Amino acid sequence: MAQIISNTLFLQVISCNKNICTLQITDTTGSHQFPAMQRLSITKGHAFILVYSVCSKQSLEELRPIWNLIKELKPNISEIPVMLVGNKCDESAELREVSTAEGSTEASLMGVSFMETSAKTNHNVTELFQ
């Protein structure tokens, strides 16, 4: 059963490799207002999904300081699953500010996996969490 704790925290019990796990998703958008909360979420995190909008180059650029903080707080980052995700891939080409190739290149530079999703159409959402 899924449970929304606040507008920035989502909990769900899932089966993961035949084990029961609690999936906690913390939305760090706007967390610059609460840096201690962001640091705590990163410190406790076991996997990270860095999401930007393909319609906003700025949203991709805003992930860089968060990524740097994750690397600072997680010295074993190479052992932790991390995905860079371009959301809104259902939008028309003329609205795009970040191409698939640019997103993929950024992920390669970061040393993380990459995919594009659409929360609106549910494209690749299940695959992302698997």
Side-chain angles (χ1 to χ4, degrees):
M1 169 180 250
Q3 180 180 13
I4 297 175
I5 305 299
S6 70
N7 63 349
T8 61
L9 183 64
F10 173 83
L11 290 177
Q12 184 169 359
V13 176
I14 61 170
S15 175
C16 179
N17 297 328
K18 298 183 181 178
N19 294 314
I20 301 299
C21 301
T22 301
L23 175 65
Q24 176 180 320
I25 301 172
T26 305
D27 181 357
T28 61
T29 304
S31 63
H32 58 277
Q33 299 167 358
F34 305 102
M37 186 70 81
Q38 183 182 54
R39 291 178 76 84
L40 179 63
S41 293
I42 291 169
T43 301
K44 290 185 169 199
H46 299 285
F48 298 92
I49 302 172
L50 302 169
V51 182
Y52 67 92
S53 167
V54 300
C55 300
S56 170
K57 194 168 206 82
Q58 180 180 343
S59 68
L60 178 58
E61 292 166 1
E62 289 175 356
L63 289 177
R64 289 186 183 119
I66 295 171
W67 175 237
N68 288 332
L69 183 59
I70 291 170
K71 291 188 301 183
E72 175 189 323
L73 296 174
K74 295 293 204 181
N76 61 335
I77 193 64
S78 62
E79 301 168 18
I80 298 172
V82 180
M83 289 288 286
L84 179 64
V85 177
N87 191 39
K88 298 188 179 183
C89 69
D90 58 288
E91 291 290 351
S92 63
E94 52 270 2
L95 292 178
R96 269 188 178 260
E97 291 185 8
V98 183
S99 70
T100 302
E102 288 172 309
S104 180
T105 298
E106 185 73 24
S108 293
L109 292 171
M110 295 167 70
V112 302
S113 300
F114 172 75
M115 74 169 25
E116 288 191 342
T117 63
S118 169
K120 182 178 180 180
T121 65
N122 205 29
H123 176 73
N124 273 345
V125 174
T126 301
E127 292 81 355
L128 171 62
F129 288 99
Q130 289 174 343

